[in-house]
Amino acid sequence: MIFRSLVQTKQFSSGLCREHETRMARKKLAVAVPASMISDTPHLREKTSKIGIIGRALAIFRVDEIIVYADDPKVNQIQELDFIATLLSYMETPQYLRKRLFELKPELQYAGILPPLRTPHHPLQGRIRDLTVGEYREGAVVSKAKNGVLVDIGVEQPALVPDTQLALNRRLSVKITQLDGQIEAQTINKQDIPQYWGYSVSAENHSLVTLLKRRQFDLTIGTSKFATRFQDAVQRLGERWRKADSILVLFGAPSRGLHEIAKGEGVNLNFLVDFVLNTVPGQGTETVRTEEAMLASLAVLNIHFGSLN
Amino acid sequence: MIFRSLVQTKQFSSGLCREHETRMARKKLAVAVPASMISDTPHLREKTSKIGIIGRALAIFRVDEIIVYADDPKVNQIQELDFIATLLSYMETPQYLRKRLFELKPELQYAGILPPLRTPHHPLQGRIRDLTVGEYREGAVVSKAKNGVLVDIGVEQPALVPDTQLALNRRLSVKITQLDGQIEAQTINKQDIPQYWGYSVSAENHSLVTLLKRRQFDLTIGTSKFATRFQDAVQRLGERWRKADSILVLFGAPSRGLHEIAKGEGVNLNFLVDFVLNTVPGQGTETVRTEEAMLASLAVLNIHFGSLN
């Protein structure tokens, strides 16, 4: 099952359109984390903190998609999957749309402590007078109009998106086209927005092996402390990175690394992904937590290949 | 004033001894963070979480010392300095010594949520039968004996450190020399222990300029989003890094970057430190928090120069 809550409108289309590819050749960067990454933290509040660090890391390094996968075949992890996905989606949603798009669920009890993303799609301005024609905003459909839909874009009045029929509460990205009188806007694909425009969230109630069969990426990178040091593979990795349009970086849990997770499914990790790399060589601690590994790994990849995506 | 609480015994001596220098040439790596790094978080519990991330980052990347400095000349920051230093020291202290070395202070109210470091100096074994001769342990003086001091090393009985006079509750590193009958151990300098053996904490109630005058480092690196991209300076930095015995990496606060902090003291940051580098080029968020910048920057430095320290 693919998690399809409120984030479905934010799923990437399967490929970039030709025009866009020629213009910017922007790569799609995805990361995968195991559902059990929060299981070593007993309190809901600290689980929430952990997700907060993950969400921030995704935004800092302009990640396009996060996939949460089931890493323990012995346990039903649907609750953890749902928890992580809900909190990450909530965090990625502009504040002015959250009440409309999220019910008050128990897992959101500590959502107030989630740090703000401070990305371009979370504008601080909430007044019409601050809007400019050509600006992008995230919105949600509040009602249908005769000639289109009215969309909440976080200012005093909704914007009219003409010639469009969309379901109530559907989330969408728009570009402001008119500010005199009725605000008007047109829908726009996320990948055509030049700034970083947030991440999509997929909770896959599937094992690592199934996930990698179901989803196609040009380049897959696993992270492990039992692996080649990043710097020893950087040249080979760079060659593959340059050619790839879509890249997936996979993380394990502190209690069970990627090697162990793959082994539990009867597979050797080295045959499952293109690279297995140690991005924290010589670590001073016995384990590196998923959120720590993510910040460290994305920082290292960003320095080496960031200008390429 | 230098913060001299319970961590004074853990301060590094001013230079590595000759013998050691020849043997391993291990560099001293220090980081500096501003007291206001916790000021954007209202709750004590989340402030504690933030410090938890910092402490973990220090241990993962084997940092020798963390210095907390006063970044806002308009405010008395002694409370923040003390809070950050106390929590970082608490986290760095092996669990079996914490009750002895720390009073129950209000700032430790949420110390229970601090993640364990899982470093070699925080052993999980607490039984004599698990000890081996030649093993290193952290200890604290519990009483004086006729021929030395008795030291709690986290097992059922204290170890005798002969021919030594040390104050009660003084923390020290020891090497086990005898296990038959009375356990015996000898004191050892931290820098002579081959594993990573924790960080020391200094709270300096001084401005950035004063801190850099008072403390001497062979190489100082400031981090800023308004700076040369790390990869554009990596060669020059590498040359300096190789020659340096002591290195300081400085961080600003999300509300006030290093440039602004220096400017507030009437100084240009570029004249204050050897390098100002952007370790998170192309960041997708408006700001990067101190703890995020630390994990990212240390990850990048570790990949490039880690094998050199």
Side-chain angles (χ1 to χ4, degrees), chain A residues 90-293:
Chain A
Y90 184 88
M91 212 177 155
E92 192 277 333
T93 302
Q95 201 143 10
Y96 57 84
L97 296 178
R98 288 179 181 170
K99 267 200 185 150
R100 184 178 300 280
L101 299 183
F102 289 85
E103 296 162 52
L104 275 178
K105 290 165 125 185
E107 55 257 55
L108 288 171
Q109 187 181 348
Y110 296 112
I113 66 165
L114 290 169
L117 286 191
R118 307 283 312 273
T119 46
H121 78 310
H122 285 202
L124 298 177
Q125 294 80 15
R127 308 292 290 267
I128 294 173
R129 60 162 188 243
D130 298 319
L131 288 181
T132 50
V133 168
E135 187 181 337
Y136 305 99
R137 298 284 287 205
E138 279 296 284
V141 175
V142 292
S143 63
K144 298 186 181 197
K146 218 164 90 186
N147 50 344
V149 288
L150 289 173
V151 173
D152 180 359
I153 56 166
V155 295
E156 300 93 324
Q157 288 166 25
L160 173 71
V161 178
D163 309 320
T164 306
Q165 290 308 320
L166 288 170
L168 205 66
N169 289 336
R170 168 75 182 257
R171 186 172 153 185
L172 70 166
S173 308
V174 300
K175 185 177 187 175
I176 311 288
T177 53
Q178 181 192 296
L179 284 168
D180 299 329
Q182 168 70 55
I183 306 170
E184 286 193 17
Q186 65 186 41
T187 57
I188 187 159
N189 287 327
K190 189 168 119 167
Q191 58 265 38
D192 292 328
I193 300 175
Q195 297 127 302
Y196 174 66
W197 212 251
Y199 53 81
S200 66
V201 182
S202 311
E204 301 251 357
N205 196 4
H206 292 299
S207 69
L208 189 61
V209 172
T210 312
L211 161 68
L212 284 162
K213 273 192 195 143
R214 285 170 54 93
R215 299 288 306 266
Q216 295 296 318
F217 290 92
D218 299 333
L219 172 61
T220 51
I221 305 166
T223 52
S224 165
K225 72 169 173 174
F226 306 111
T228 311
R229 295 179 336 150
F230 177 84
Q231 56 271 51
D232 295 336
V234 71
Q235 206 145 6
R236 278 189 301 127
L237 180 61
E239 284 161 24
R240 289 289 306 271
W241 189 286
R242 269 179 285 277
K243 288 180 205 152
D245 285 330
S246 60
I247 298 155
L248 176 67
V249 186
L250 298 120
F251 297 92
S255 53
R256 299 171 77 232
L258 274 181
H259 276 293
E260 212 177 323
I261 293 169
K263 207 176 165 187
E265 300 183 32
V267 186
N268 182 331
L269 180 65
N270 297 308
F271 299 127
L272 204 57
V273 296
D274 299 319
F275 288 84
V276 187
L277 299 175
N278 183 358
T279 54
V280 189
Q283 66 188 57
T285 54
E286 177 63 22
T287 52
V288 175
R289 297 172 158 211
T290 309
E291 66 277 19
E292 296 162 346

Side-chain angles (χ1 to χ4, degrees), chain B residues 71-292:
Chain B
D71 58 312
D72 191 347
K74 290 179 200 133
V75 191
N76 184 343
Q77 294 182 293
I78 192 81
Q79 262 198 314
E80 282 89 349
L81 285 163
D82 197 64
F83 175 81
I84 299 173
T86 300
L87 262 78
L88 284 172
S89 301
Y90 184 87
M91 212 176 154
E92 193 277 333
T93 302
Q95 201 145 12
Y96 57 83
L97 296 178
R98 287 179 182 171
K99 266 199 185 152
R100 186 177 299 279
L101 299 183
F102 288 85
E103 296 162 51
L104 275 178
K105 289 164 126 187
E107 55 258 53
L108 289 170
Q109 187 182 346
Y110 296 111
I113 66 165
L114 289 169
L117 286 191
R118 307 283 312 271
T119 46
H121 79 310
H122 286 203
L124 297 177
Q125 293 81 13
R127 308 293 291 267
I128 293 172
R129 62 162 188 243
D130 298 320
L131 288 180
T132 50
V133 168
E135 186 180 338
Y136 306 100
R137 299 284 287 205
E138 279 297 285
V141 175
V142 292
S143 63
K144 297 188 181 196
K146 218 164 95 186
N147 51 344
V149 287
L150 290 173
V151 174
D152 180 359
I153 56 166
V155 295
E156 300 94 325
Q157 288 166 25
L160 173 70
V161 179
D163 309 321
T164 306
Q165 290 308 319
L166 288 170
L168 204 66
N169 289 337
R170 168 74 180 257
R171 186 173 154 184
L172 69 165
S173 308
V174 301
K175 185 177 185 173
I176 311 290
T177 53
Q178 181 192 297
L179 284 169
D180 298 330
Q182 169 69 54
I183 306 170
E184 286 193 18
Q186 65 187 41
T187 56
I188 186 158
N189 287 328
K190 188 167 119 167
Q191 58 265 38
D192 292 329
I193 299 174
Q195 296 125 302
Y196 174 66
W197 211 250
Y199 53 81
S200 66
V201 182
S202 312
E204 302 250 356
N205 196 4
H206 292 299
S207 68
L208 188 61
V209 173
T210 312
L211 161 69
L212 284 163
K213 272 191 195 143
R214 285 170 54 93
R215 299 288 306 267
Q216 295 297 316
F217 290 91
D218 299 334
L219 172 60
T220 51
I221 305 166
T223 52
S224 165
K225 71 170 173 173
F226 305 110
T228 312
R229 295 179 337 150
F230 178 85
Q231 55 272 51
D232 295 336
V234 70
Q235 204 145 9
R236 279 188 301 126
L237 180 62
E239 286 161 22
R240 289 290 306 272
W241 189 285
R242 270 180 282 278
K243 289 180 203 150
D245 286 329
S246 60
I247 298 155
L248 176 66
V249 185
L250 298 119
F251 297 91
S255 52
R256 298 170 78 231
L258 274 181
H259 276 293
E260 212 178 322
I261 293 169
K263 206 175 166 188
E265 300 182 30
V267 187
N268 182 332
L269 180 66
N270 297 307
F271 300 129
L272 204 58
V273 295
D274 298 319
F275 287 84
V276 187
L277 299 176
N278 183 358
T279 54
V280 189
Q283 66 188 57
T285 55
E286 177 62 24
T287 54
V288 175
R289 298 173 157 210
T290 309
E291 66 277 19
E292 295 161 347

Side-chain angles (χ1 to χ4, degrees), chain A residues 45-46 62 118 282 286, chain B residues 45-46 62 118 282 286:
Chain A
R45 190 159 175 154
E46 273 66 51
R62 306 178 315 282
R118 307 283 312 273
E286 177 63 22
Chain B
R45 190 158 174 157
E46 271 67 52
R62 307 179 314 283
R118 307 283 312 271
E286 177 62 24

Side-chain angles (χ1 to χ4, degrees), chain B residues 44-63:
Chain B
L44 183 61
R45 190 158 174 157
E46 271 67 52
K47 285 183 204 283
T48 304
S49 286
K50 240 178 216 279
I51 307 298
I53 302 168
I54 296 280
R56 287 278 309 169
L58 299 173
I60 290 170
F61 296 107
R62 307 179 314 283
V63 172

